[in-house]
Amino acid sequence: MAINNPYQSYQQNSVNTASPGELTLMLYNGCLKFIHIAKNAIQTKDIQVKNTNIQKAQKIIQELMVTLNQDLEVSKDMLSLYDYMNRRLIEANIKSDASILEEVEGLVTEFRDTWKQVIQINRQKQYGHGGSAL
């Protein structure tokens, strides 16, 4: 008999009801989480955990690459940056180099923070400037 985990149910429901923009934000956050775990694994010399989590981060970057709208000019630039991050993750895994992971972490954080701003701006446009006193 399966035990119902409320956290897993909440998490699954969050994914099922998220907008495409929110899903992208979740991918960025997941990527950052896996990079953080991999950095800690390098410090503790846990090769298996490092490898597993860098590969998870790579899969997220690859997913972001294939979901880009190639009709937009900015997508070509993003594709180049995603490709660069993916290659750096491979190099970090091979060399067990936390400084490379920090570089990629910085890039992903910038993407994530920018994406968060885009979502907030879109929400303001969609729902107005609720709460602002005149």
Side-chain angles (χ1 to χ4, degrees):
M1 180 166 116
I3 298 173
N4 219 0
N5 180 333
Y7 177 73
Q8 282 181 325
S9 297
Y10 170 78
Q11 205 172 21
Q12 186 65 40
N13 194 39
S14 295
V15 170
N16 290 339
T17 60
S19 70
E22 290 166 332
L23 287 173
T24 301
L25 191 60
M26 288 178 187
L27 288 172
Y28 286 133
N29 285 330
C31 188
L32 290 169
K33 178 181 95 172
F34 297 133
I35 289 171
H36 179 75
I37 293 168
K39 282 191 333 188
N40 287 338
I42 287 172
Q43 288 178 335
T44 61
K45 299 189 183 333
D46 190 334
I47 305 298
Q48 183 66 39
V49 170
K50 173 208 67 163
N51 181 54
T52 298
N53 284 281
I54 290 177
Q55 286 181 351
K56 287 179 179 181
Q58 282 181 262
K59 286 180 181 166
I60 289 174
I61 296 296
Q62 291 161 1
E63 180 65 23
L64 290 165
M65 290 170 82
V66 298
T67 58
L68 282 173
N69 179 351
Q70 292 301 319
D71 296 335
L72 302 175
E73 191 61 35
V74 71
S75 293
K76 293 174 180 74
D77 295 333
M78 290 177 72
L79 184 63
S80 295
L81 283 166
Y82 286 152
D83 183 55
Y84 174 77
M85 288 188 279
N86 192 46
R87 285 184 282 116
R88 292 296 279 167
L89 287 171
I90 292 168
E91 188 177 350
N93 203 358
I94 291 168
K95 295 180 177 179
S96 289
D97 189 332
S99 67
I100 296 173
L101 289 179
E102 287 172 8
E103 174 194 352
V104 175
E105 184 179 39
L107 292 168
V108 175
T109 299
E110 284 184 45
F111 272 106
R112 192 258 332 256
D113 292 348
T114 302
W115 196 252
K116 224 191 260 186
Q117 289 177 335
V118 168
I119 290 172
Q120 289 171 341
I121 290 167
N122 283 339
R123 280 189 184 144
Q124 286 175 349
K125 286 180 182 175
Q126 186 176 2
Y127 301 113
H129 301 284
S132 61
L134 296 177

